[in-house]
Amino acid sequence: MSYITSLPDRLCEWFSDMYEFSDCSFCTQFPSQVKETPLMKPVVVFGLNGIETQSDEIVLPESESRKVNEEFSVGIYVPLNKGGAYCNYILSRIADQLLFNTSLEIRKITATETVYVRNPDSLFMNLIFTVTETLYKGTDYPEPFVFE
């Protein structure tokens, strides 16, 4: 399961290395990074919401596979002076990268409304995406990112 559970860390690292996202800071949900108050630049937080399998059995028999749905969240915190439209701008850039520059089988992307959050005195939007994969016991999985 480390392939799945390490995805938020790998996404954080991948996006941090992109010049196109130099206007944002990236971190994972746990351990959470202290955000400056007031926020000076957008902060994007990656996390794993849950994993659902077709069976309650986690340990797979040698010849068996499991279809797995993984739900990830991407919290987007934007300084108040940037406005709510900037949340949408970051969301669309992240969604484009996930859909067109990864080999992830993304089945669904949704987003919440933009809301004000008191700590760290910013606007917040949550992007949630679901990935469906078939996992085989004992298999090494390739890196899901396509580098240009």
Side-chain angles (χ1 to χ4, degrees), residues 73-116:
S73 65
V74 183
I76 302 167
Y77 294 87
V78 171
L80 291 174
N81 64 353
K82 296 268 189 193
Y86 207 74
C87 283
N88 289 315
Y89 174 65
I90 293 173
L91 178 141
S92 66
R93 291 165 51 201
I94 289 172
D96 284 350
Q97 289 295 324
L98 291 172
L99 289 170
F100 300 113
N101 291 325
T102 70
S103 59
L104 297 171
E105 292 185 38
I106 297 176
R107 299 290 181 214
K108 181 178 176 184
I109 295 180
T110 59
T112 62
E113 291 181 4
T114 302
V115 295
Y116 169 77

Side-chain angles (χ1 to χ4, degrees), residues 1-12 15 28-29 45-52 68-75 94 98 104-112 126-133 135 144-145:
M1 290 300 223
S2 64
Y3 169 74
I4 297 167
T5 57
S6 69
L7 190 59
D9 289 321
R10 294 184 342 210
L11 284 169
C12 182
F15 277 99
T28 56
Q29 277 179 335
V45 182
F46 293 98
L48 173 64
N49 286 357
I51 301 168
E52 180 182 272
V68 178
N69 294 320
E70 307 133 17
E71 185 177 276
F72 298 93
S73 65
V74 183
I94 289 172
L98 291 172
L104 297 171
E105 292 185 38
I106 297 176
R107 299 290 181 214
K108 181 178 176 184
I109 295 180
T110 59
T112 62
N126 200 25
L127 177 145
I128 298 170
F129 67 97
T130 304
V131 176
T132 300
E133 296 183 271
L135 299 179
F145 307 114

